[in-house]
Amino acid sequence: MSKKVIVIRSSKIYESEPWGYKNQKKFCNLVLKVDCRLNPYELLKLAKSIERKLGRNKKFKWGPRTIDIDIIAYKNKILKRKELQLPHRFAHLRLFVVKPLCELGAKFTLRGEKLPEILGRLEGEESLKTC
């Protein structure tokens, strides 16, 4: 990454079933806590650049891909733009996002619900294993 984005901590890597389009291999997911000196749009531009460098070729929404970098939250910002929504609009539905966030000690809410509450609900519906 750049000196404007410094990784502070990383979660474990979790294996999950594909989300959205199901006819593809399982995914390995992790969450990074970063110190970021970019604004959210600059961070998104950097993420997309990294995806391209690592061979991402987006054929269709939620389809097979080599990498997918999402910005789940950025400080306490709330954005609802076509190119970027913060917090991520599907984060509260994805155990592979919520569990690593809790592991890193994230303290924010998603749609008015605290992360540990979301984790309890999602763990009742599915489970994750580490890669």
Side-chain angles (χ1 to χ4, degrees):
M1 293 195 179
S2 77
K3 292 183 180 185
K4 293 186 178 188
V5 179
I6 299 166
V7 176
I8 304 298
R9 287 186 60 205
S10 173
S11 71
K12 295 175 190 166
I13 301 172
Y14 294 94
E15 182 181 77
S16 68
E17 295 293 327
W19 201 91
Y21 178 72
K22 301 286 187 185
N23 190 20
Q24 58 185 313
K25 295 179 182 178
K26 292 181 180 182
F27 290 97
C28 289
N29 307 276
L30 63 88
V31 168
L32 298 175
K33 178 179 182 178
V34 300
D35 178 28
C36 184
R37 292 184 169 77
L38 301 172
N39 70 46
Y41 298 102
E42 292 168 331
L43 182 58
L44 179 63
K45 185 177 177 181
L46 175 62
K48 297 306 170 193
S49 170
I50 292 168
E51 287 180 346
R52 282 189 304 278
K53 286 178 184 172
L54 293 175
R56 171 131 189 206
N57 183 6
K58 191 173 185 175
K59 295 181 179 169
F60 58 93
K61 189 172 188 163
W62 294 322
R65 56 213 178 261
T66 54
I67 187 166
D68 183 24
I69 301 172
D70 290 321
I71 303 170
I72 304 303
Y74 186 100
K75 299 180 182 176
N76 291 319
K77 290 201 179 292
I78 296 173
L79 293 173
K80 291 188 186 219
R81 302 275 166 83
K82 181 181 177 188
E83 65 276 13
L84 182 60
Q85 293 189 27
L86 295 172
H88 190 285
R89 65 187 175 144
F90 297 122
H92 68 290
L93 301 173
R94 297 173 171 171
L95 181 58
F96 64 83
V97 172
V98 175
K99 187 168 185 160
L101 282 171
C102 288
E103 179 185 328
L104 295 181
K107 300 286 185 204
F108 56 90
T109 62
L110 295 170
R111 297 194 170 214
E113 196 174 10
K114 293 179 182 176
L115 290 174
E117 295 166 357
I118 300 170
L119 179 63
R121 178 174 40 81
L122 293 176
E123 283 187 321
E125 299 170 7
E126 61 179 299
S127 63
L128 291 177
K129 67 178 187 176
T130 56
C131 284

